[in-house]
Amino acid sequence: MLVFYLSLIDDEENQNKFKMIYEKYGNSMLYTAIDILKDDYLAEDAVQEAFLQIAKNIKTIRTDTSAETKAYVVTIVRNCSYRMAQKNSKYIIMPEDNIIEETVADKTDYESRTVSIVMYEEMKKALATLDEKYVTPLVLQEQGYKISEIADSLNISQSAVKMRISRAKKMIYELLEAKK
Amino acid sequence: MNNQVSFDSLLRMAVREMYTEQVNSIPPEDKLKEIVHPSDKLKRRINQIVNRETRNEKLIHMHKIASRVAVIILMCISLSFATLMTAEAVRESVATTILEWHDKFTRIFIETDAQPEKLPEIRFNYIPEGFELVEEESIKSNTYCNYTFFSSDNNFLRIQISASAENSKNTFDNERASVFKITVDESIGTWISHNSINYLIINNDNIVFTISCRCAIEEIIEIYKNIEIL
């Protein structure tokens, strides 16, 4: 019986969590989407897409602090907006992740590599030049989400998440090496 | 001075700073209300998501509860069954039921519901050569008789005649027996072939004949045709 009541509370909690996210961060999400897409209608589509992702993963979203939650929802809506922008672009975008997954993963241990602290500004610039699809998994990982949670949030496979993180690090490292 | 740091930790710091800047670049809520105006359509779409997710959650929740209830009921049944099975009467009735089910689904029953009558006198005008009646193996009563014949090569011929009583019942394992309908002198009978033994079961004017022998069905039909009712 205790399990039954707990599960009831759990459901209600998730519903309230979703409503809270919408009421508290809905405008911020729309603002971010408009900022990226420069189109109100497309932005609303991106926000709807982001809310669908949020609803699917409502249980994993951390709401301990509003900064954490806001960072997550902004990351998700940014990702959806960039995807929407790609969909609406005139150019054909190759489904790169599917190709990458087939190739050998980069096993370089970046944990053991060192860089000069003076390269920090260069690193930020390099990060800003990266495609959003590589940045988003890095951001979610930094926010403390597990690979499986990131995969669910972005609706991609876990191996694709690992690959994107690995590729992002490789690209940044190579950009820094080139600057030396 | 050593200014080398781990690439990974520096990247983490840069990532954190980047998304913090992104979040901080969003104006405060009161200003946002002036800048962005979500359409009614978007509100409706979000409400649809909320409703759909609530519905899905409810369905998942109901499924969880139903599973738990089913498990509890199953446990109760198992427990009470285990307790009851210690009583001999319950054990016996369960065993009887299982046997009845087994018979129902694995065997063929050939029965007749006619009223029992007294058997008339019977004479066999044809018995294949070499078969001798064994009196000790034969039974004769008012409503039922069983004549058993043996040959020198240990083959047998059994003729059972029953006055269409309720006790005229034959059971066969339907997994190993082949069953055919057969008409002999306008009487419909059943021919069963089981373990190289042929059985002919035929109802002639409320007298049931069951003839079995390890010989051809034609031979058995011949025996049946030559049974004379006096």
Side-chain angles (χ1 to χ4, degrees):
Chain A
M1 271 299 168
L2 181 70
V3 181
F4 171 73
Y5 288 125
L6 279 175
S7 63
L8 270 180
I9 293 165
D10 183 41
D11 289 346
E12 212 168 294
E13 259 182 21
N14 286 332
Q15 285 164 29
N16 291 338
K17 201 164 146 184
F18 187 86
K19 281 176 190 160
M20 180 274 286
I21 289 172
Y22 174 60
E23 280 159 17
K24 213 169 169 185
Y25 307 114
N27 285 340
S28 301
M29 288 168 77
L30 189 57
Y31 175 85
T32 308
I34 293 171
D35 191 39
I36 294 164
L37 292 160
K38 316 287 183 209
D39 180 304
D40 287 9
Y41 294 108
L42 279 180
E44 289 198 347
D45 284 348
V47 170
Q48 188 199 354
E49 184 68 30
F51 270 112
L52 271 172
Q53 295 292 345
I54 289 167
K56 277 183 197 163
N57 302 289
I58 194 75
K59 283 178 185 169
T60 55
I61 299 170
R62 295 189 183 91
T63 47
D64 303 339
T65 64
S66 64
E68 258 185 349
T69 319
K70 195 173 181 180
Y72 177 84
V73 295
V74 167
T75 309
I76 296 298
V77 79
R78 280 179 69 86
N79 186 261
C80 290
S81 303
Y82 277 106
R83 269 177 32 209
M84 192 74 65
Q86 279 189 340
K87 258 190 220 169
N88 287 279
S89 89
K90 291 173 192 168
Y91 307 104
I92 298 164
I93 293 139
M94 293 296 290
E96 202 181 336
D97 277 327
N98 297 343
I99 299 163
I100 293 166
E101 274 186 62
E102 299 299 321
T103 62
V104 180
D106 178 23
K107 303 278 183 193
T108 312
D109 179 16
Y110 292 99
E111 188 72 41
S112 60
R113 299 221 169 170
T114 55
V115 286
S116 169
I117 199 154
V118 292
M119 299 299 280
Y120 183 61
E121 287 305 316
E122 290 298 332
M123 187 178 262
K124 277 167 60 183
K125 281 181 196 163
L127 199 59
T129 62
L130 284 191
D131 191 322
E132 189 67 20
K133 73 175 183 181
Y134 295 115
V135 179
T136 310
L138 277 179
V139 171
L140 291 175
Q141 196 182 38
E142 182 50 30
Q143 286 170 12
Y145 289 94
K146 293 178 206 158
I147 297 290
S148 58
E149 291 170 342
I150 299 169
D152 290 340
S153 297
L154 302 178
N155 208 12
I156 55 174
S157 68
Q158 290 191 36
S159 57
V161 173
K162 284 180 196 165
M163 190 63 74
R164 285 183 190 187
I165 290 171
S166 163
R167 285 204 85 193
K169 286 181 180 178
K170 190 181 178 202
M171 283 189 273
I172 293 165
Y173 190 81
E174 282 171 0
L175 281 169
L176 292 185
E177 285 291 298
K179 291 275 178 190
K180 272 184 186 173
Chain B
M1 191 180 130
N2 185 9
N3 61 1
Q4 291 290 307
V5 288
S6 154
F7 168 79
D8 232 26
S9 10
L10 201 66
L11 180 63
R12 287 182 62 186
M13 210 162 83
V15 169
R16 182 166 281 272
E17 196 180 319
M18 186 197 71
Y19 77 71
T20 310
E21 273 172 16
Q22 283 170 359
V23 171
N24 291 342
S25 70
I26 300 168
E29 192 61 26
D30 50 340
K31 280 194 179 170
L32 274 177
K33 279 178 185 162
E34 293 166 16
I35 304 165
V36 293
H37 305 285
S39 67
D40 289 341
K41 195 182 166 191
L42 178 67
K43 286 175 189 168
R44 274 200 307 275
R45 279 144 87 188
I46 302 298
N47 279 333
Q48 275 175 359
I49 296 172
V50 175
N51 292 338
R52 195 169 59 209
E53 287 305 313
T54 311
R55 219 170 29 243
N56 287 347
E57 283 288 336
K58 273 184 187 162
L59 280 174
I60 294 166
H61 180 63
M62 290 299 289
H63 184 259
K64 273 185 192 170
I65 292 171
S67 310
R68 281 173 200 157
V69 170
V71 168
I72 290 166
I73 289 171
L74 202 67
M75 279 168 70
C76 290
I77 290 170
S78 308
L79 204 67
S80 47
F81 197 69
T83 315
L84 286 170
M85 279 300 275
T86 53
E88 198 177 340
V90 177
R91 275 207 308 273
E92 269 177 24
S93 65
V94 169
T96 312
T97 310
I98 291 168
L99 284 173
E100 276 174 7
W101 284 355
H102 177 264
D103 282 353
K104 191 176 172 184
F105 294 111
T106 62
R107 287 173 189 278
I108 305 163
F109 291 90
I110 298 153
E111 292 179 72
T112 173
D113 52 2
Q115 291 301 309
E117 283 175 21
K118 197 182 171 196
L119 267 181
E121 283 300 312
I122 280 160
R123 187 163 64 204
F124 303 115
N125 291 333
Y126 172 70
I127 295 294
E129 217 177 292
F131 281 95
E132 292 288 336
L133 180 69
V134 182
E135 293 285 349
E136 302 87 72
E137 297 278 334
S138 303
I139 304 162
K140 196 164 187 281
S141 74
N142 281 342
T143 57
Y144 172 79
C145 55
N146 175 356
Y147 299 95
T148 305
F149 299 79
F150 274 103
S151 67
S152 53
D153 58 352
N154 219 21
N155 195 1
F156 76 94
L157 163 67
R158 187 168 289 126
I159 302 170
Q160 292 162 279
I161 303 160
S162 174
S164 48
E166 72 282 353
N167 59 359
S168 174
K169 184 188 280 184
N170 294 279
T171 60
F172 290 93
D173 185 344
N174 64 359
E175 281 182 25
R176 293 182 183 85
S178 306
V179 184
F180 309 93
K181 282 275 168 214
I182 191 164
T183 309
V184 183
D185 295 340
E186 294 176 353
S187 299
I188 297 168
T190 308
W191 164 29
I192 295 158
S193 177
H194 181 237
N195 281 346
S196 357
I197 301 167
N198 284 311
Y199 298 81
L200 175 67
I201 303 157
I202 201 154
N203 187 335
N204 182 358
D205 199 21
N206 281 341
I207 300 172
V208 178
F209 296 86
T210 307
I211 308 169
S212 54
C213 183
R214 190 167 283 148
C215 63
I217 187 68
E218 291 81 6
E219 193 83 312
I220 294 177
I221 292 169
E222 199 57 33
I223 295 166
Y224 166 72
K225 280 181 173 176
N226 283 286
I227 295 173
E228 192 181 349
I229 299 166
L230 302 170

